[in-house]
Amino acid sequence: EDKVVQSPLSLVVHEGDTVTLNCSYEVTNFRSLLWYKQEKKAPTFLFMLTSSGIEKKSGRLSSILDKKELFSILNITATQTGDSAVYLCAVHPGGGAQKLVFGQGTRLTINP
Amino acid sequence: EPEVTQTPSHQVTQMGQEVILRCVPISNHLYFYWYRQILGQKVEFLVSFYNNEISEKSEIFDDQFSVERPDGSNFTLKIRSTKLEDSAMYFCASSESGINYGYTFGSGTRLTVV
């Protein structure tokens, strides 16, 4: 069974801190790994990763994939209160599948 | 920026009733999906739809569920004979070129079965 596990489940930090969120996966095939930010309702797309070792970056957020060790990390530097959200990791298993398999999410709280 | 629109945002229904959740995908998108998220649990895949037919469905998507694209713009999820455990947030998503390029989620319909 395809599985995605995120850690930690919950994280509370102060504004300005740097955080690292983890995602490990076990899937039969692998096509891509995606990170989403979920604030109130709809998950909003952050990154799609398909190749090992290539960092994707958007402002203070960055992410990298390790296909050998089957994990990805999402880094957020100089955190702001607006970064408070649930961060979701999802894997596209490939093999013709159209679905995403999600982890349980990391709830990040940034205190002023 | 184009959006996936879902209506209603919240629906309360009595156990045993049928509900229809509606979605308007982004206009040039060809692939459509439904996911659900039970409170406090993972987002779970229900079904994908392409070229007017189901392309993939999960074990959750049994005979109680059906999807339809009744016209050129709407994409609906019908849940027959709702159960308490159907209470969840239901997300619609659409994609221009399939999962390989990611997709856009709607803001969800919170379904409460009482």
Side-chain angles (χ1 to χ4, degrees):
Chain A
E1 183 186 339
D2 298 329
K3 191 163 65 171
V4 177
V5 177
Q6 293 184 243
S7 64
L9 295 181
S10 179
L11 186 58
V12 181
V13 300
H14 289 292
E15 205 167 17
D17 288 351
T18 293
V19 297
T20 298
L21 310 183
N22 304 293
C23 175
S24 63
Y25 61 90
E26 293 176 29
V27 294
T28 317
N29 297 292
F30 175 87
R31 192 64 186 258
S32 60
L33 184 144
L34 296 90
W35 284 96
Y36 286 87
K37 179 182 182 182
Q38 186 178 29
E39 294 179 85
K40 296 288 186 192
K41 288 187 176 178
T44 53
F45 174 78
L46 295 175
F47 298 112
M48 177 188 279
L49 303 151
T50 56
S51 301
S52 272
I54 299 174
E55 186 183 54
K56 292 272 183 104
K57 199 169 169 64
S58 175
R60 297 175 293 103
L61 277 67
S62 63
S63 184
I64 198 160
L65 174 68
D66 185 328
K67 288 167 73 173
K68 184 180 174 189
E69 300 297 328
L70 309 182
F71 78 91
S72 173
I73 59 173
L74 175 69
N75 279 319
I76 309 175
T77 59
T79 51
Q80 302 170 356
T81 54
D83 295 327
S84 295
V86 175
Y87 289 83
L88 301 173
C89 174
V91 170
H92 175 209
Q98 285 291 313
K99 67 180 180 184
L100 290 177
V101 179
F102 280 84
Q104 67 273 60
T106 293
R107 179 173 296 280
L108 177 63
T109 304
I110 311 295
N111 288 327
Chain B
E1 189 171 330
E3 288 184 344
V4 174
T5 305
Q6 289 186 244
T7 55
S9 56
H10 190 192
Q11 179 150 3
V12 181
T13 190
Q14 293 222 320
M15 197 165 52
Q17 296 296 304
E18 175 182 286
V19 295
I20 297 176
L21 309 184
R22 302 182 192 280
C23 170
V24 178
I26 294 172
S27 61
N28 63 332
H29 284 191
L30 302 175
Y31 296 80
F32 314 113
Y33 311 85
W34 284 101
Y35 283 76
R36 79 172 184 190
Q37 187 175 30
I38 295 170
L39 189 63
Q41 297 187 24
K42 295 183 183 185
V43 176
E44 301 173 290
F45 170 77
L46 292 177
V47 66
S48 62
F49 190 87
Y50 171 71
N51 201 24
N52 282 321
E53 61 183 26
I54 291 173
S55 49
E56 187 177 359
K57 61 182 181 178
S58 71
E59 291 174 355
I60 302 167
F61 194 88
D62 59 20
D63 292 343
Q64 186 194 3
F65 295 89
S66 62
V67 289
E68 197 177 32
R69 189 152 161 82
D71 52 44
S73 58
N74 289 284
F75 179 52
T76 62
L77 174 69
K78 183 189 289 186
I79 309 174
R80 287 180 280 275
S81 190
T82 48
K83 300 177 279 203
L84 295 176
E85 53 264 39
D86 295 326
S87 296
M89 181 74 89
Y90 288 82
F91 292 108
C92 174
S94 71
S95 171
E96 184 177 1
S97 307
I99 182 56
N100 296 333
Y101 301 90
Y103 41 60
T104 303
F105 282 91
S107 55
T109 292
R110 178 163 295 287
L111 176 65
T112 302
V113 182
V114 297

